[in-house]
Amino acid sequence: MSVYRRGQVWWYEFRFCGQFIRESSKSTSKTVAREAERQRRRQLENGYNRIPPKERVRMFSSAASVWLETEKFHFAPKTTELYALSITHLKRKFGRMLLSDISADDISRYQSHRMGQKAAGRTINMETGVLRQIMRKHKLWGAICDDVKSMKERRDVGRALSPDEEASLLQATADRRYKDSQLYVIVVLAKHDRKSRCCAALNTTMCSKEIKMLCWSQIDLINRTAIVGKGKTDARTGRVIPLNQSAVAALTYCGNWRADAKPDHYVFPACENHKINASRPIKSFRTAWRNATKKAGLAGLRFHDLRHTAITKLAETAASEQTIMSITGHVSRKMLEHYSHIRMDAKRKALDAIAQPVFQQGYYQKSTQSEKLVKVGRPN
């Protein structure tokens, strides 16, 4: 081990595993060069013996930012936005804490705090899930994982519309004033005779984002199919949906409305300064949707509930589970059950279909109005 000066800069050299190491310390100080030589040799020795370097424990705010920056390439854009929002909430509680100081009790208090802010159980679980991933990356989650409990999540958020509610919604969205906001062509597209109405979401099972990002190149009106673009999951991306008569009529109406549409144009384009820009998709129709649902007496109805309704109607038919999952893009029975809300009328018809006579001779059923059994004789 030796150091020497070359010009004004000090260098060091030594042998390690038969290799001659000669490097510059980039310093004019001999003391710094000696320390650099010791550090370089220690680094080589640790690497040879596979001793991992000790990582300095970071504050949560810094570790969270680095984690999101390095991992966002593995997430969908929407997922990245949700994780960024979760980190914003987490920083308010853990931002100034070291990762090693975060305990299960701290997480429990955070969950209670978020419940006090009326956050949903699913939202809280997503936020603690982000915290779990960050701590797991730094090998700190295993010490507290057994003491951290998840919040209960609601399973009845989505719902299916009844036939009467569906009719009311179609009647409300058929109003001509919603045509400018494009809710008219997204939810209900009336033919020129104003009698036949076609609901895109209720006939394709597509969600809001899939409908907004739909381009004319993805639609084949001759073969009556539509190819979904980028979906929320791999199973929903690129799936081919057969178009029924209502969906074909709706898309044909859109095509006639925009005769100059090109394959790369969006079916539902953005409207900027009262001018249609077909090269960009529509951003939002939230205000028009809220006004229409309020008019239909369905205030609080989510647009995503139309997908629930379509899947429920498919489940009430004779279609197999594999067929429904192929159309909707689901990959598990659990997810299909979450979206399917078999209505009472369908359940009643199914049970009525297997009904068998249960009364012996001397008994009969009378009075369909009261639906009571009347005994008219005694059994032998």
Side-chain angles (χ1 to χ4, degrees):
M1 298 176 64
S2 63
V3 297
Y4 62 94
R5 187 169 62 180
R6 180 180 291 177
Q8 298 296 323
V9 179
W10 284 90
W11 288 60
Y12 56 84
E13 59 182 21
F14 59 89
R15 285 190 176 276
F16 181 80
C17 294
Q19 298 292 327
F20 187 72
I21 308 298
R22 177 186 291 165
E23 296 176 351
S24 171
S25 68
K26 304 294 191 298
S27 174
T28 57
S29 172
K30 185 177 181 179
T31 303
V32 172
R34 287 176 175 173
E35 182 64 24
E37 181 184 15
R38 284 194 292 268
Q39 292 291 340
R40 178 57 171 158
R41 175 176 281 276
R42 182 62 180 271
Q43 181 184 17
L44 292 172
E45 291 173 349
N46 288 343
Y48 180 83
N49 293 284
R50 298 180 181 179
I51 301 176
K54 293 183 179 180
E55 185 178 358
R56 185 181 63 179
V57 179
R58 294 185 175 184
M59 295 181 65
F60 173 80
S61 57
S62 174
S65 300
V66 172
W67 173 82
L68 185 62
E69 186 65 25
T70 55
E71 298 293 330
K72 67 181 182 180
F73 303 103
H74 304 292
F75 306 139
K78 186 65 175 180
T79 303
T80 303
E81 294 179 8
L82 293 175
Y83 283 177
L85 181 60
S86 297
I87 289 176
T88 300
H89 288 289
L90 290 168
K91 282 183 177 180
R92 295 170 183 168
K93 173 65 176 179
F94 306 110
R96 295 182 178 274
M97 296 179 62
L98 293 175
L99 281 176
S100 58
D101 292 340
I102 298 177
S103 65
D105 291 338
D106 293 326
I107 297 176
S108 179
R109 284 191 288 269
Y110 174 80
Q111 292 172 328
S112 299
H113 174 69
R114 292 291 286 140
M115 287 184 62
Q117 294 180 333
K118 305 300 182 181
R122 182 175 179 83
T123 301
I124 300 174
N125 288 339
M126 180 183 297
E127 293 169 359
T128 54
V130 172
L131 176 62
R132 179 182 66 249
Q133 294 186 61
I134 296 172
M135 296 186 67
R136 181 176 291 171
K137 182 179 179 65
H138 293 268
K139 308 296 188 297
L140 297 172
W141 180 254
I144 63 173
C145 62
D146 294 336
D147 298 325
V148 178
K149 307 300 181 183
S150 298
M151 306 295 295
K152 292 184 178 180
E153 299 183 11
R154 290 184 56 186
R155 300 297 181 183
D156 58 343
V157 176
R159 71 183 187 92
L161 295 175
S162 66
D164 292 339
E165 291 175 332
E166 185 176 337
S168 299
L169 180 63
L170 294 175
Q171 182 67 30
T173 52
D175 195 329
R176 281 290 184 181
R177 62 179 175 174
Y178 295 121
K179 185 173 181 178
D180 295 335
S181 68
Q182 298 203 64
L183 183 66
Y184 180 77
V185 293
I186 291 175
V187 179
V188 55
L189 302 175
K191 292 184 178 180
H192 294 295
D193 58 7
R194 298 285 293 167
K195 294 181 180 180
S196 177
R197 298 182 175 89
C198 314
C199 182
L202 286 172
N203 287 279
T204 63
T205 74
M206 288 192 290
C207 66
S208 173
K209 182 178 179 180
E210 293 170 347
I211 293 175
K212 289 189 291 186
M213 300 301 295
L214 197 63
C215 293
W216 287 110
S217 59
Q218 300 169 231
I219 298 173
D220 186 351
L221 293 177
I222 297 177
N223 296 317
R224 296 172 57 188
T225 59
I227 302 176
V228 178
K230 179 65 176 178
K232 186 176 180 180
T233 62
D234 293 338
R236 289 171 60 172
T237 300
R239 71 184 190 277
V240 180
I241 298 177
L243 301 176
N244 58 20
Q245 294 181 353
S246 298
V248 170
L251 294 171
T252 301
Y253 178 84
C254 287
N256 294 334
W257 189 23
R258 304 184 184 92
D260 59 341
K262 298 180 180 180
D264 59 342
H265 283 178
Y266 289 95
V267 178
F268 306 106
C271 184
E272 302 171 346
N273 298 324
H274 302 286
K275 294 183 180 180
I276 293 179
N277 184 0
S279 62
R280 296 179 58 187
I282 183 175
K283 289 185 177 180
S284 175
F285 47 86
R286 182 179 303 175
T287 301
W289 171 256
R290 288 177 177 174
N291 292 337
T293 52
K294 183 177 181 180
K295 180 180 178 181
L298 299 171
L301 181 71
R302 307 176 309 159
F303 186 85
H304 200 70
D305 289 332
L306 300 185
R307 175 173 165 86
H308 284 255
T309 303
I311 296 175
T312 298
K313 293 167 71 174
L314 285 175
E316 291 175 352
T317 65
S320 65
E321 291 184 358
Q322 290 77 11
T323 300
I324 299 175
M325 288 190 287
S326 178
I327 294 173
T328 60
H330 292 152
V331 294
S332 66
R333 179 183 176 86
K334 181 179 180 180
M335 184 59 69
L336 179 60
E337 291 176 350
H338 171 71
Y339 274 91
S340 176
H341 311 269
I342 306 301
R343 289 173 287 202
M344 184 57 65
D345 289 342
K347 295 178 181 178
R348 190 182 303 281
K349 291 179 181 178
L351 292 177
D352 288 342
I354 64 173
Q356 299 292 334
V358 295
F359 296 102
Q360 299 177 356
Q361 186 176 4
Y363 289 78
Y364 74 98
Q365 188 173 5
K366 188 179 179 182
S367 181
T368 56
Q369 295 180 354
S370 62
E371 294 185 358
K372 294 182 178 179
L373 298 176
V374 180
K375 185 177 180 180
V376 295
R378 296 179 180 272
N380 296 329

